[in-house]
Amino acid sequence: MFEIAAILGYLCGSIPFGWLMGRYTQHIDIRDYGSGKTGFTNTMRSLGLKRSLVVLAGDILKGAVPVVVARLAFEDEEAVHVAAGVGAVVGHVWPVWLRFRGGAGVATGVGAAIALSPLAVLAAAAVFLAVVASLRIMSVASLAGTAALAAAFVLFAALDLSAWAYIAYGLIAGALIWWRHRSNIQRLLAGTEPRLGQRAATTATADAPLPPA
């Protein structure tokens, strides 16, 4: 059942909402623009806020749904819940439908975490929003929020507000999300990471201009 949960989570997480939005509204591959990822931030910069909010909702749901199903089917098997959540994040990052080239996993990771422990997500969200408000750099906020989420899982497990096994989710998913942000970290160190409100000036794989939002 552990393997089944991971596979189902992966298949659900692989649904490429960002790619589909770009394909069917602008007839583009969103991965050819901006950061080259398929998630909320790149779709917002490349396709505009309204379309990116739809992508955000879809990415959150595809993280939450497999965990909810796993919890309903195996209520006391926390490792199965974690497998479903990690599988969803892996699916978003390496979607089988897009030749294993997807997004960074933040929204999908949040969706899975909400289904595991809403209280931990609330604590991490406070950190995320504080960083966004002060720095207006989405990648920094995502990295800070991911680290805060892992810490929150430890704290709430110690307070008996969530399962100890969920700490594994925070560490594994968090490490994957940080690894997927390595290019953002390089741009941060170089001082070239765009802030909120800026459209990406260069493309990930081509020199084509950004599509109209």
Side-chain angles (χ1 to χ4, degrees):
M1 56 187 173
F2 182 91
E3 295 82 359
I4 293 173
I7 291 170
L8 291 178
Y10 173 82
L11 292 175
C12 189
S14 289
I15 301 171
F17 288 110
W19 182 89
L20 291 169
M21 182 63 73
R23 180 77 174 92
Y24 291 105
T25 64
Q26 295 292 326
H27 308 291
I28 64 167
D29 187 336
I30 191 68
R31 298 171 300 169
D32 291 337
Y33 297 86
S35 68
K37 298 184 177 72
T38 59
F40 168 72
T41 302
N42 197 40
T43 55
M44 178 175 63
R45 292 189 178 124
S46 303
L47 300 177
L49 180 59
K50 290 182 181 179
R51 291 168 182 159
S52 69
L53 288 175
V54 176
V55 172
L56 177 64
D59 285 350
I60 290 174
L61 282 173
K62 72 183 187 183
V65 168
V67 177
V68 170
V69 172
R71 295 194 68 171
L72 291 173
F74 306 101
E75 183 178 357
D76 298 322
E77 299 289 341
E78 289 85 3
V80 177
H81 313 163
V82 170
V86 171
V89 177
V90 170
H92 178 80
V93 173
W94 292 295
V96 64
W97 323 115
L98 298 182
R99 297 183 179 180
F100 309 103
R101 185 173 154 225
V106 177
T108 301
V110 168
I114 290 172
L116 291 171
S117 176
L119 287 175
V121 174
L122 284 175
V127 174
F128 175 87
L129 292 173
V131 175
V132 166
S134 60
L135 299 180
R136 295 185 60 79
I137 302 177
M138 187 64 75
S139 59
V140 177
S142 297
L143 293 170
T146 300
L149 180 63
F153 273 121
V154 174
L155 174 62
F156 284 108
L159 296 174
D160 290 328
L161 297 175
S162 70
W164 282 99
Y166 294 171
I167 296 173
Y169 172 82
L171 295 176
I172 296 170
L176 178 55
I177 290 169
W178 270 68
W179 182 79
R180 283 293 286 167
H181 278 80
R182 63 195 186 281
S183 61
N184 301 85
I185 294 171
Q186 291 173 351
R187 288 193 296 272
L188 286 166
L189 294 174
T192 58
E193 181 75 344
R195 295 177 183 271
L196 281 176
Q198 290 180 278
R199 301 189 77 196
T202 59
T203 64
T205 59
D207 292 325
L210 288 168

